[in-house]
């Protein structure tokens, strides 16, 4: 079976599916507070994936309601779930935390989460900014690979996050990509980041541009992922303004074409 295409839940997506303008293999729910509200609309139409876990480095993972999380996973029929491989400065008392300490913390967090859930766990790379967000070592390819190996989990490769991290790390994008554990990739996320004056590249979940499609094509040549997710569109104030129906349709049609071409190139 070829690569499956999924997309963020949105009213625009449901309308496009119902009108038979596009087709996806599954729908992704990413708002933890809206899972049970959105699931009755998504599940009768398509299989559902969940993307509701927090950061692997946070110290209070044991406070999450894992029974509720597993009930949601079961209700959706999700084949796996991912957690962001992030370690924020506020998680640490000592600001001069070492790379080894960060790796140990991430391994501990991912191991704990893997033990709690009823399906396979993936880890997702996060964007790096030198002025906010995760500490840089959490975005080091060797750290990501070590977590995969030590815990025995797969990799969810977010290409928008990859672009943002490479920009702020001042690294060549392709070299940063090829340093990642590409053999562990199970799912790929795509969307369009944006450049902000005085700030640089930021993760914004906007329309994909040519550079994003080219990066995806290159990535598909070096991975064997089963799932591709377009993270454009959504519900609520944070996402509904970037959920244009025509823009969504055009991206999904282009992604379906890229998937088909990648299959044809294999055979």
């Amino acid at each position: 079976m070829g690569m499956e295409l999924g997309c963020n839940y949105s009213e625009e997506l449901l309308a496009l599916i119902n009108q038979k303008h596009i087709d996806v293999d599954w729908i992704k729910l990413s708002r933890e507070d809206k899972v049970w509200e959105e699931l009755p609309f998504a599940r009768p139409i398509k299989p559902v994936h969940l993307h509701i876990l927090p950061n692997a480095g946070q110290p209070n993972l044991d406070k999450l309601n894992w029974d509720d999380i597993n009930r949601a996973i079961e209700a959706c029929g999700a084949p796996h779930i991912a957690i962001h491989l992030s370690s924020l400065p506020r998680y640490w008392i000592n600001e001069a935390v070492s790379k080894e300490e960060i790796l140990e913390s991430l391994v501990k967090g991912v191991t704990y989460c893997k033990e709690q859930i009823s399906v396979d766990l993936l880890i997702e790379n996060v964007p790096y900014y030198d002025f906010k967000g995760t500490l840089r070592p959490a975005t080091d390819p060797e750290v990501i690979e070590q977590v995969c190996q030590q815990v025995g989990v797969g990799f969810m490769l977010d290409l928008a996050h990859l672009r943002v991290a490479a920009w702020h790390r001042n690294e060549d994008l392709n070299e940063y990509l090829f340093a990642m554990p590409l053999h562990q990739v199970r799912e790929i996320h795509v969307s369009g980041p944006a450049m902000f004056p005085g700030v640089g590249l930021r993760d914004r979940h906007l329309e994909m541009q040519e550079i994003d499609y080219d990066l995806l094509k290159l990535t598909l040549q070096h991975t064997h992922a089963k799932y591709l997710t377009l993270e454009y569109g959504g519900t609520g104030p944070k996402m509904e303004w970037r959920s244009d129906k025509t823009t969504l349709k055009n991206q999904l049609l282009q992604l379906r074409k890229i998937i088909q071409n990648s299959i044809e190139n294999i055979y």
Side-chain angles (χ1 to χ4, degrees), residues 32-235:
E32 183 182 8
D33 61 328
K34 295 292 183 180
V35 168
W36 297 107
E37 181 179 319
E38 296 175 346
L39 186 60
F41 294 96
R43 192 70 174 96
I45 299 174
K46 293 290 179 180
V48 173
H49 286 204
L50 275 182
H51 196 49
I52 59 173
L53 294 185
N55 296 327
Q58 68 185 63
N60 61 339
L61 291 171
D62 60 329
K63 300 296 191 297
L64 298 180
N65 191 326
W66 291 101
D67 288 338
D68 278 358
I69 291 171
N70 280 314
R71 276 194 290 269
I73 291 173
E74 183 178 359
C76 292
H80 58 249
I81 195 167
I83 190 165
H84 293 98
L85 202 67
S86 179
S87 183
L88 302 179
R90 70 173 183 266
Y91 299 161
W92 300 92
I93 298 175
N94 178 14
E95 294 183 1
V97 59
S98 69
K99 180 174 180 176
E100 290 72 25
E101 289 174 306
I102 291 173
L103 172 59
E104 181 180 357
S105 169
L106 292 173
V107 166
K108 180 180 178 182
V110 174
T111 299
Y112 179 83
C113 291
K114 182 183 178 183
E115 292 170 347
Q116 307 309 310
I117 61 171
S118 55
V119 292
D120 289 344
L121 180 67
L122 309 182
I123 57 171
E124 179 180 354
N125 60 305
V126 297
Y128 168 73
Y129 304 95
D130 53 7
F131 58 91
K132 70 168 189 173
T134 190
L135 296 167
R136 177 174 174 138
T139 62
D140 288 354
E142 59 269 28
V143 168
I144 295 172
E145 182 160 23
Q146 278 297 309
V147 174
C148 286
Q149 290 181 353
Q150 292 187 35
V151 187
V153 292
F155 185 26
M156 179 179 285
L157 175 60
D158 189 307
L159 294 181
H161 293 176
L162 186 92
R163 281 191 61 200
V164 172
W167 196 95
H168 288 277
R169 289 169 61 99
N170 196 28
E171 295 185 27
D172 178 82
L173 177 59
N174 288 356
E175 290 181 4
Y176 186 54
L177 169 67
F178 292 137
M180 291 289 175
L182 298 182
H183 60 288
Q184 298 280 12
V185 174
R186 292 265 304 277
E187 182 175 338
I188 298 172
H189 283 183
V190 291
S191 64
M195 191 69 70
F196 281 70
V199 176
L201 200 62
R202 294 191 62 183
D203 181 36
R204 298 296 288 164
H205 293 265
L206 299 175
E207 180 181 5
M208 294 177 68
Q209 303 300 314
E210 184 175 355
I211 184 174
D212 302 301
Y213 289 115
D214 289 343
L215 180 60
L216 172 61
K217 293 173 187 175
L218 177 63
T219 302
L220 292 179
Q221 295 175 19
H222 298 274
T223 57
H224 299 284
K226 182 177 180 181
Y227 306 100
L228 174 64
T229 308
L230 174 62
E231 290 196 306
Y232 176 87
T235 60

